Amino acid sequence: MKIIHTVAALRAELAAHPSAPAFVPTMGNLHEGHLALIAQARQLVAGSGSPVVASIFVNRLQFGPNEDFDTYPRTLERDAQLLDAAGCDILFAPSEAELYPQPQGYKVVPPTELADILEGAFRPGFFTGVCTVVHKLFNLVQPRIGVFGKKDYQQLMIIRNMVAQMGLPIEIQGGETLRADDGLALSSRNGYLSESERAEAVQMITTLRAVKTQVNGARAAGGLNQASLADIEKQTMAALDARGWKTDYVMVRRQRDLLPATDAELAQGEPLVSLSASRLGKTRLIDNLEL
């Protein structure tokens, strides 16, 4: 695997390959979920001669003023070893000065109806930072395939819509969420959890599975509507908070656009997804489950 730190070197390396790469952007501090995305990218370009490119860049633009930009783990040497073993061909790991040689005045601002709900409601400007850096990386890497994890469901939806609206010739693929044996979604921030918090953290997926059971039960009984969903969401948030969590949201939305489903759509079996974000101690966790 080649490790590249400059835009010029990246372009020179990519010019030597016959076809456009598959690309997995990350912020580093990698875990098995990231490596599964590399394996998925490797499979998607098998036999084509296309390289698999990963990036590691901790993007200041997507961190709020009271978030963990300064303390986010930088583990480049370890990450490079993991990527090499996973079959990555090129690692692009630019410095902040290399990727943003000037203050990034031009930004990609996603539409408010998708970017200012759920995560966006609690992290203002977050998805502008995500879209800006991803669009810039797409311009540099020029991939034909981009692979993003489904754990960040709203982010995947926003990136997919950005690519479509901007007319970028990139196929966006979602990677399934990898989980620990007890069900906790793998996340770079799980390392912030204390031993007792780690044991408690499994309640997030337990909660989402309970939501799925309640939604499916109400649907089977013909009683699923906006009012019953609101009751399920409210009760679920209260149950988490009673355990000592500080819950931002538990919501059930349409899979296709993350907007609330109408009563008619719920009666017709509209595909849904339950999403949750909650703080356990100092660690904010997110997860989702397709229903």
Side-chain angles (χ1 to χ4, degrees):
M1 183 184 73
K2 295 189 176 181
I3 303 176
I4 293 173
H5 299 286
T6 69
V7 171
L10 175 68
R11 286 174 169 156
E13 177 62 30
L14 290 174
H17 291 270
S19 56
F23 179 44
V24 181
T26 83
M27 291 204 305
N29 193 28
L30 303 182
H31 52 69
E32 289 297 324
H34 294 109
L35 303 182
L37 298 181
I38 296 294
Q40 183 174 346
R42 179 87 273 155
Q43 185 175 15
L44 288 167
V45 298
S48 68
S50 298
V52 172
V53 178
S55 65
I56 291 178
F57 181 70
V58 183
N59 177 41
R60 183 187 298 271
L61 297 184
Q62 69 192 68
F63 285 78
N66 298 313
E67 295 185 341
D68 56 342
F69 174 78
D70 291 328
T71 58
Y72 193 88
R74 275 75 164 175
T75 55
L76 181 59
E77 183 176 351
R78 170 187 169 274
D79 292 344
Q81 293 172 353
L82 291 173
L83 289 170
D84 190 16
C88 183
D89 298 303
I90 300 169
L91 168 58
F92 180 47
S95 66
E96 191 169 26
E98 181 67 21
L99 200 61
Y100 298 137
Q102 300 174 343
Q104 190 68 32
Y106 291 89
K107 295 179 181 178
V108 180
V109 182
T112 58
E113 61 267 23
L114 185 54
D116 289 356
I117 61 173
L118 299 165
E119 284 296 286
F122 290 90
R123 303 179 70 186
F126 171 68
F127 287 115
T128 294
V130 169
C131 287
T132 300
V133 74
V134 170
H135 200 291
K136 191 163 192 175
L137 289 168
F138 280 167
N139 286 335
L140 297 176
V141 177
Q142 296 285 298
R144 64 183 180 91
I145 297 170
V147 186
F148 294 79
K150 287 186 178 181
K151 185 182 81 69
D152 299 302
Y153 197 97
Q154 187 177 8
Q155 175 177 281
L156 172 61
M157 183 79 64
I158 287 173
I159 296 299
R160 195 169 265 156
N161 287 356
M162 178 186 76
V163 165
Q165 286 201 9
M166 294 293 193
L168 303 179
I170 304 170
E171 175 187 344
I172 301 299
Q173 291 279 343
E176 298 299 327
T177 301
L178 255 66
R179 300 183 179 278
D181 290 342
D182 62 1
L184 178 66
L186 300 187
S187 168
S188 295
R189 289 186 168 96
N190 288 353
Y192 295 162
L193 297 168
S194 68
E195 185 175 347
S196 61
E197 289 169 346
R198 173 61 187 82
E200 172 65 18
V202 70
Q203 288 301 318
M204 177 161 280
I205 186 57
T206 299
T207 292
L208 291 177
R209 287 169 176 163
V211 168
K212 182 174 183 176
T213 297
Q214 292 177 75
V215 169
N216 288 344
R219 178 169 272 163
L224 186 64
N225 53 40
Q226 289 181 330
S228 62
L229 274 184
D231 286 341
I232 291 171
E233 292 167 351
K234 183 178 180 180
Q235 293 168 11
T236 303
M237 288 183 64
L240 276 174
D241 288 344
R243 298 182 65 94
W245 295 66
K246 296 180 180 178
T247 308
D248 288 342
Y249 59 83
V250 174
M251 293 185 182
V252 179
R253 296 296 183 95
R254 299 190 306 210
Q255 288 185 21
R256 54 189 166 96
D257 57 10
L258 296 182
L259 294 178
T262 66
D263 284 347
E265 289 168 338
L266 292 172
Q268 294 165 5
E270 176 75 26
L272 304 171
V273 58
S274 59
L275 308 103
S276 182
S278 191
R279 190 170 297 278
L280 184 59
K282 296 181 179 180
T283 307
R284 189 169 184 273
L285 302 175
I286 68 169
D287 203 352
N288 65 81
L289 194 65
E290 295 178 339
L291 307 183

